[in-house]
Amino acid sequence: MSVADYMTAKVIAVSPETKVNIAINMMKDHQIHRLPVIDGDQLVGIVTEGIIRAASPSKATSLSIYEVNYLLNKMTVADIMEKDVKTISQDAQLEDAISMMRHHDIGVLPVVDGAQVVGIITTNDILDGFLDITDYFVDATVVQVMIDHDRTGVIYEIGKLMADNGFNIQTLIVTRNLGSIMIEMHVDKTAGDGVKQVLEDAGYSVRLVVNQQVN
């Protein structure tokens, strides 16, 4: 899965000269939490709600609300924006975006095609991508098969066993971070306990069978 598959392609951006109050209103109007800052066609920074809060006078200030508003009206995005912006290519894998966000402890990456900003990807986009990849919004029977050691052909064997018994696999995910290998399948919701019986009769260890029903 590439970043381009799950990024938000419609980028709401501001120029460095944009007043902070205007940036705040743009975030509210579009229900977003960050804005790339673009000068001409060049990405020069990013401003977020957190950056704006940090730059705003605290509640303990002796300034009046009128003075605070005056300061925010005078302050531009260029005065407070983060200039060291991490970006990612639209052709990068989604896993690359996750790794970069985790490594730099950030929740957003502008997506670029060469030097041009073509999208933005956030932690929410990645979570939506995970739900899409796992077919979360499709009614299914979720089956987890535990494999002691990896071996060539095990996925084929399980797939053939499912097909031979009339079970349709909607999605299949393999994970290796639980001490052993887990194969999680989402099969047609009508499978029920029948799929567990078929797998166990074939010698597989089945950890979980649950019905995933989306309301």
Side-chain angles (χ1 to χ4, degrees):
M1 303 83 62
S2 72
V3 168
D5 293 329
Y6 293 101
M7 70 182 187
T8 299
K10 184 179 179 182
V11 182
I12 310 296
V14 291
S15 70
E17 298 79 19
T18 303
K19 296 293 190 283
V20 170
N21 262 357
I22 293 176
I24 293 171
N25 289 333
M26 287 179 67
M27 289 184 190
K28 288 179 180 178
D29 291 343
H30 294 282
Q31 296 183 324
I32 54 179
H33 306 287
R34 67 275 295 174
L35 292 165
V37 184
I38 297 177
D39 188 6
D41 59 357
Q42 184 75 32
L43 177 70
V44 294
I46 193 166
V47 64
T48 69
E49 286 182 343
I51 290 172
I52 291 173
R53 280 196 300 270
S56 300
S58 71
K59 292 182 180 179
T61 182
S62 60
L63 296 175
S64 71
I65 186 65
Y66 304 105
E67 290 171 315
V68 169
N69 285 336
Y70 174 79
L71 287 176
L72 292 178
N73 274 318
K74 296 291 287 183
M75 193 184 302
T76 67
V77 166
D79 296 327
I80 64 170
M81 68 184 184
E82 172 60 52
K83 297 177 182 178
D84 181 19
V85 186
K86 307 301 180 187
T87 64
I88 193 162
S89 167
Q90 64 174 352
D91 300 322
Q93 292 297 101
L94 194 61
E95 298 94 309
D96 296 329
I98 296 170
S99 177
M100 188 178 293
M101 287 181 183
R102 293 280 292 163
H103 180 74
H104 295 287
D105 192 25
I106 53 179
V108 58
L109 288 169
V111 183
V112 295
D113 179 11
Q116 184 178 6
V117 177
V118 294
I120 196 165
I121 190 161
T122 68
T123 49
N124 281 343
D125 293 323
I126 289 172
L127 290 173
D128 288 342
F130 177 79
L131 294 176
D132 177 53
I133 292 163
T134 58
D135 242 4
Y136 179 78
F137 296 107
V138 178
D139 291 347
T141 295
V142 182
V143 186
Q144 293 177 349
V145 181
M146 308 307 296
I147 307 295
D148 290 334
H149 60 278
D150 200 1
R151 57 186 174 83
T152 302
V154 66
I155 300 297
Y156 168 79
E157 292 170 8
I158 291 176
K160 187 174 186 306
L161 184 64
M162 294 290 98
D164 289 346
N165 287 274
F167 297 124
N168 177 47
I169 300 175
Q170 298 172 352
T171 61
L172 186 149
I173 299 172
V174 180
T175 63
R176 291 178 167 81
N177 64 341
L178 300 174
S180 60
I181 299 167
M182 183 184 76
I183 299 172
E184 179 173 300
M185 298 179 291
H186 291 206
V187 300
D188 289 345
K189 66 177 181 178
T190 55
D193 290 335
V195 68
K196 179 180 180 181
Q197 190 66 53
V198 165
L199 286 162
E200 290 182 337
D201 287 348
Y204 292 101
S205 172
V206 182
R207 193 177 78 161
L208 177 69
V209 175
V210 296
N211 291 322
Q212 174 180 285
Q213 187 167 351
V214 182
N215 296 325

